Amino acid sequence: MKFHEVKIYTFFALASLFWFGGIFAAPLLEAMDFSSLAHGLYQFYGKVCHQDSHRSFFCFGEQLAVCIRCTALYGSFTVAWWLLVVFTAFRSTGLHSAQWTKAVEIFLLFAVVLMLADVGSSLALIHQSTTVTRLITGALVGFAVPWYIAPILYDALITLFKRKFLW
Amino acid sequence: MVEQEPSYDFYEKPSKLNPILLGGLTIGIISGLPGLSLLNCCCCAGIMGGGAVAVLLYKKEISHHETLLFESSDALILGILSGIVGAVLATLLSSLVFLLVGPVEMEFLRSVITKLAEQLEESGSIPPGALDESLHQLEEALQEGITFGSFLRELAISLIVYPIFSMIGSLIMYGIIGRKK
């Protein structure tokens, strides 16, 4: 069972790494004059981010495929999945306990509220969000989500595998 | 009194069709309509919301049957399928809006960024011309029309992105309401 859990989390960790890598691949391809490929990647990530250049990091002289907040979010999301792999490999239980779930739930709520406060206050021109606030709030949300959904996702996939994906 | 065991036979479960369609419709409307689709700039909140709506509706439906369990696999399926339905609806709706009234959202965004840039430049928060690049990108987007190829490309991207975020939304909602007995 633990072996399956590690395998499932590794799959999602690799998928997250692939997604995060794409954010840097877009400017790299643009810098290497593979403009059509880069344009395709920018368009892909444009579905999930406003891509405002004023709120984005630049790499290889080109804008990253997503904004600062999203870069932090997907970066910490990827780190969290890899930590989940390590955590699950070395500890047999814990992620599915009620106490742990409650703690993660509170952490996720805190992170979401903090990000909404940063975005909301910036939109209302109360406080202008900065690179640091965008990085911190994005990273907190991105880090919290995998810890919250991983046990649920694992249970769901195991149930579906047992039923041969019938619904 | 003999306590009845919860049933695990998923064939007895109510149909997921309505929650999936309504969740997909939520995603389609939020992501396909100009203005509303800006909600997706906040971590794809609109798409995750659609997945969450599907879970909420199914939970409501399944709660009428005391012997049935709402499982995490139900939430997973609801999220992914709502995302697929939402991707198709959103692409159709946004293309339709584009054909009927033009790039309203881009125009709206351009006016917002221009006003914001003026305010921030006046207050000294940003140097003059700092948002020129963003405006230039929007100008380029405004000049691009809609073709069958661009429609298919939009649909293909949506069919990848939407189910992922809708699934995350549905799993979070399941975590909040589903596993609590």
Side-chain angles (χ1 to χ4, degrees):
Chain A
M1 180 166 165
K2 186 176 154 185
F3 177 63
H4 286 306
E5 200 167 3
V6 172
K7 271 205 294 190
I8 288 170
Y9 294 163
T10 307
F11 170 78
F12 285 101
L14 285 170
S16 306
L17 191 64
F18 188 67
W19 181 283
F20 188 57
I23 295 169
F24 293 88
L28 179 66
L29 288 168
E30 185 72 55
M32 291 166 71
D33 275 342
F34 293 107
S35 293
S36 56
L37 276 174
H39 183 72
L41 271 177
Y42 279 117
Q43 198 181 5
F44 180 85
Y45 286 101
K47 277 272 166 209
V48 296
C49 180
H50 53 70
Q51 296 179 322
D52 183 353
S53 60
H54 184 61
R55 296 177 173 211
S56 301
F57 284 131
F58 281 72
C59 196
F60 313 111
E62 302 290 340
Q63 184 185 336
L64 289 188
V66 291
C67 69
I68 295 169
R69 201 188 303 276
C70 290
T71 306
L73 195 148
Y74 297 126
S76 60
F77 188 83
T78 308
V79 169
W81 273 113
W82 284 108
L83 284 177
L84 266 161
V85 173
V86 175
F87 187 85
T88 314
F90 290 100
R91 280 189 67 170
S92 57
T93 54
L95 282 178
H96 300 266
S97 72
Q99 274 179 323
W100 176 261
T101 306
K102 193 74 199 163
V104 174
E105 202 168 74
I106 292 166
F107 178 52
L108 178 65
L109 184 71
F110 167 74
V112 170
V113 168
L114 205 64
M115 188 166 81
L116 287 177
D118 191 43
V119 174
S121 62
S122 186
L123 284 174
L125 296 174
I126 298 166
H127 146 82
Q128 187 60 38
S129 65
T130 62
T131 301
V132 175
T133 61
R134 287 171 204 149
L135 272 174
I136 291 171
T137 54
L140 284 175
V141 172
F143 193 76
V145 170
W147 294 97
Y148 191 68
I149 65 167
I152 304 171
L153 193 56
Y154 167 72
D155 286 339
L157 288 173
I158 288 297
T159 311
L160 286 175
F161 276 125
K162 281 179 187 163
R163 289 172 187 168
K164 296 188 174 76
F165 281 99
L166 290 172
W167 70 294
Chain B
M1 194 177 132
V2 181
E3 200 173 305
Q4 200 170 9
E5 279 285 313
S7 169
Y8 291 90
D9 187 353
F10 65 107
Y11 288 112
E12 289 173 12
K13 285 187 177 176
S15 166
K16 293 184 179 72
L17 190 64
N18 282 344
I20 286 168
L21 289 179
L22 287 168
L25 190 67
T26 309
I27 296 171
I29 290 171
I30 291 174
S31 308
L33 286 181
L36 269 180
S37 65
L38 293 175
L39 202 63
N40 285 336
C41 289
C42 188
C43 304
C44 290
I47 306 171
M48 292 206 284
V53 164
V55 166
L56 270 174
L57 292 171
Y58 194 66
K59 169 78 178 173
K60 200 176 165 188
E61 210 163 304
I62 211 166
S63 61
H64 296 307
H65 308 267
E66 282 179 13
T67 55
L68 294 177
L69 274 179
F70 183 30
E71 294 170 292
S72 52
S73 56
D74 296 323
L76 183 73
I77 289 165
L78 287 165
I80 292 172
L81 294 182
S82 300
I84 292 171
V85 173
V88 175
L89 289 178
T91 312
L92 283 173
L93 198 60
S94 60
S95 303
L96 198 69
V97 170
F98 193 94
L99 288 172
L100 290 175
V101 289
V104 185
E105 194 172 46
M106 290 293 181
E107 292 281 5
F108 173 72
L109 259 178
R110 183 169 62 174
S111 68
V112 167
I113 290 182
T114 310
K115 276 182 192 168
L116 191 71
E118 282 170 7
Q119 280 182 357
L120 292 174
E121 280 172 15
E122 275 173 23
S123 66
S125 301
I126 58 168
L131 290 176
D132 283 356
E133 180 64 26
S134 303
L135 286 167
H136 177 66
Q137 284 172 1
L138 277 173
E139 289 292 343
E140 280 182 350
L142 278 168
Q143 282 163 13
E144 278 181 17
I146 187 162
T147 60
F148 186 64
S150 67
F151 171 81
L152 286 181
R153 203 166 50 233
E154 278 287 308
L155 183 63
I157 294 172
S158 301
L159 282 172
I160 298 170
V161 171
Y162 285 27
I164 296 172
F165 284 89
S166 177
M167 180 193 80
I168 293 174
S170 69
L171 292 178
I172 290 174
M173 184 51 81
Y174 176 81
I176 295 166
I177 63 156
R179 61 182 168 193
K180 288 177 181 139
K181 297 276 172 269

